[in-house]
Amino acid sequence: MQVSVEVEPQSLPADTFDANCPTRTVLDNVTSRWAVLVLWALLDGTMRFSDLRRRVGGVSEKMLAQTLQRLERDGFVHRLAHPVIPPRVDYSLTPLGEPAARQIAGLTSWLEGQLPAVLAARASYDANRAAGASR
């Protein structure tokens, strides 16, 4: 039995800086380390669970399942279970998830390009902190 839940649209505009704004939960779900990598991976197209797990190195089966459930609940990922044996489930981006994944891909690609500068900044920071601690 499916239960249908009606959701009232918010009467106030979203304000992510407000601690009670629902965008905070969505932001947490979309920007978690695993969600970022899952959304980015799904830009390449529909993937099975095992393919996603191989693509997103280091994610446990449990974390991947939880991440996919949260992304599906928020409407970013579509889950299609095929009625076959052995079971086959495909995951893909929804029309809501694709632009979010493109934004994430832009940020992560930019970060990859800036990695040498970030690593240099870290080294400089660490050296300055170590020099300050030794005084």
Side-chain angles (χ1 to χ4, degrees):
M1 179 174 123
Q2 274 190 314
V3 177
S4 176
V5 177
E6 297 273 333
V7 178
E8 292 283 328
Q10 282 196 290
S11 58
L12 299 174
D15 178 6
T16 309
F17 287 106
D18 180 345
N20 298 313
C21 185
T23 57
R24 292 269 185 112
T25 342
V26 178
L27 187 63
D28 284 345
N29 291 344
V30 171
T31 61
S32 75
R33 169 186 5 178
W34 303 122
V36 164
L37 295 171
V38 164
L39 289 169
W40 195 12
L42 287 174
L43 271 175
D44 291 338
T46 300
M47 298 178 97
R48 295 176 71 176
F49 186 91
S50 57
D51 296 329
L52 272 170
R53 185 147 184 239
R54 275 192 295 279
R55 180 72 177 110
V56 180
V59 67
S60 69
E61 190 170 315
K62 179 181 177 182
M63 279 307 304
L64 181 57
Q66 288 174 350
T67 299
L68 286 164
Q69 285 174 343
R70 283 193 298 269
L71 291 171
E72 182 183 9
R73 181 173 184 247
D74 286 343
F76 295 104
V77 168
H78 175 71
R79 178 183 186 273
L80 177 61
H82 299 276
V84 295
I85 296 177
R88 177 178 168 184
V89 179
D90 292 325
Y91 294 91
S92 59
L93 294 171
T94 64
L96 181 64
E98 188 171 338
R102 291 200 184 289
Q103 294 287 329
I104 286 167
L107 176 61
T108 50
S109 294
W110 178 82
L111 285 171
E112 286 179 342
Q114 300 306 310
L115 189 58
V118 171
L119 295 177
R122 283 184 182 176
S124 175
Y125 176 88
D126 292 346
N128 290 337
R129 297 279 293 183
S134 65
R135 291 184 204 182

